[in-house]
């Protein structure tokens, strides 16, 4: 596609359930980033990949959060045993260059944990 | 703790005036600096990038960088109501991957 595509756009789940958020970056983009954004706050870094390699996962809040990008394209962010505090907008971004390039953001996946 | 700090605002600016936004960062080794604009309910979009000390102008926008003071700013000249948005400062700390964002400054341009 022309832009970064995220799915689902909205997800409502019950506490304790697992959720998987998908990101399809712009074709050919090397780097893929996951951010979490609370209302009124800036994007909070979670993790990023260059190709299929996870370069930095220091922003993942705890071990319930994981991400993968097995073929260097589509990425999945998985949250296990969701908690209410996980409710947020999860944003994916990609860039064609490592480090200094422009981040292109998807529309985000809004997660609500009841 | 590596941080990017911005005044949260809101910054109220009369139409036609200059909006001045500030950002400080803690990691002296940071290499790349960006300003993103985010309209309410939308995703951030890049408006300016700057990599070396000094000023960089693009239309009505001017970014200023002072690495010694660890300070980056954005000026919006001839502010328009369409400039009303949240402006996010982003810093690339590692020179090769991780982008850290500030909390954003909300700008409201009043007719």
């Amino acid at each position: 596609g022309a832009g970064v595509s995220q799915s689902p756009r909205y997800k409502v789940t019950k506490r304790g359930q697992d959720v998987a958020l998908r990101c399809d970056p712009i074709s050919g983009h090397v780097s893929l980033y996951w951010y979490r954004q609370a209302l009124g706050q800036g994007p909070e870094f979670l993790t990023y990949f260059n190709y299929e390699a996870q370069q930095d996962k220091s922003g993942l809040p705890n071990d319930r959060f994981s991400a993968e990008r097995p073929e260097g394209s589509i990425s999945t962010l998985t949250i296990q045993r969701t908690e209410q505090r996980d409710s947020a907008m999860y944003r994916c971004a990609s860039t064609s260059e490592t480090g200094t390039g422009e981040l292109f953001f998807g529309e985000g996946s809004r997660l609500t944990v009841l | 703790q590596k941080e990017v700090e911005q005044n949260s605002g809101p910054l109220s600016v009369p139409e036609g005036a200059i909006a001045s936004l500030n950002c400080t960062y803690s990691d002296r080794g940071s290499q790349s600096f960006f300003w993103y604009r985010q309209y309410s309910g939308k995703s951030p979009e890049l408006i300016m990038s700057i990599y070396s000390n000094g000023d960089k102008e693009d239309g009505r926008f001017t970014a200023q960088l002072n690495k010694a003071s660890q300070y980056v700013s954005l000026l919006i000249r001839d502010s328009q109501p369409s400039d009303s948005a949240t402006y996010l400062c982003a810093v690339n700390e590692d020179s090769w991957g991780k982008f850290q964002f500030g909390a954003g400054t909300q700008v409201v341009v009043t007719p």
Side-chain angles (χ1 to χ4, degrees):
Chain A
V4 178
S5 178
Q6 292 188 245
S7 61
R9 291 288 309 279
Y10 303 92
K11 177 70 176 179
V12 179
T13 190
K14 292 183 178 180
R15 185 179 55 186
Q17 298 295 305
D18 298 350
V19 298
L21 307 178
R22 182 178 182 271
C23 174
D24 191 354
I26 294 173
S27 179
H29 274 197
V30 169
S31 300
L32 183 148
Y33 299 78
W34 283 101
Y35 285 87
R36 180 170 66 176
Q37 188 172 22
L39 195 63
Q41 297 296 314
E44 173 193 10
F45 172 81
L46 296 177
T47 185
Y48 88 96
F49 296 81
N50 286 338
Y51 301 100
E52 72 281 359
Q54 190 171 22
Q55 299 289 341
D56 187 332
K57 57 180 182 179
S58 63
L60 296 177
N62 50 61
D63 60 8
R64 295 186 297 106
F65 288 73
S66 62
E68 63 175 7
R69 193 186 185 197
E71 298 180 358
S73 180
I74 293 170
S75 177
T76 302
L77 176 69
T78 301
I79 309 172
Q80 295 180 311
R81 305 181 304 280
T82 53
E83 301 178 4
Q84 287 186 329
R85 60 177 172 162
D86 299 333
S87 297
M89 177 69 82
Y90 289 83
R91 297 195 184 276
C92 175
S94 68
T95 179
S96 60
E97 303 171 34
T98 53
T100 59
E102 172 183 358
L103 287 176
F104 293 86
F105 282 87
E107 291 301 312
S109 292
R110 179 165 295 283
L111 174 65
T112 301
V113 182
L114 301 177
Chain B
Q1 179 74 20
K2 298 179 179 179
E3 292 183 348
V4 179
E5 297 190 355
Q6 301 179 246
N7 294 328
S8 61
L11 177 65
S12 184
V13 180
E15 185 174 357
I18 296 174
S20 179
L21 307 172
N22 303 319
C23 173
T24 59
Y25 58 95
S26 61
D27 185 1
R28 188 171 290 279
S30 298
Q31 299 293 320
S32 309
F33 308 86
F34 307 86
W35 284 99
Y36 283 78
R37 178 176 62 199
Q38 187 173 25
Y39 291 115
S40 180
K42 300 297 185 181
S43 298
E45 55 180 350
L46 182 72
I47 53 172
M48 290 285 289
S49 59
I50 188 166
Y51 304 102
S52 55
N53 283 329
D55 295 358
K56 179 181 178 182
E57 185 175 321
D58 184 0
R60 297 186 295 110
F61 298 96
T62 299
Q64 300 173 316
L65 175 61
N66 184 327
K67 289 186 178 180
S69 299
Q70 297 175 238
Y71 174 91
V72 58
S73 66
L74 179 71
L75 298 177
I76 308 174
R77 291 183 301 281
D78 187 24
S79 295
Q80 302 297 308
S82 60
D83 295 326
S84 296
T86 295
Y87 290 80
L88 299 163
C89 175
V91 174
N92 185 305
E93 301 183 340
D94 300 319
S95 303
W96 61 285
K98 180 177 175 179
F99 294 78
Q100 196 86 347
F101 283 81
T105 298
Q106 183 185 6
V107 172
V108 179
V109 180
T110 55

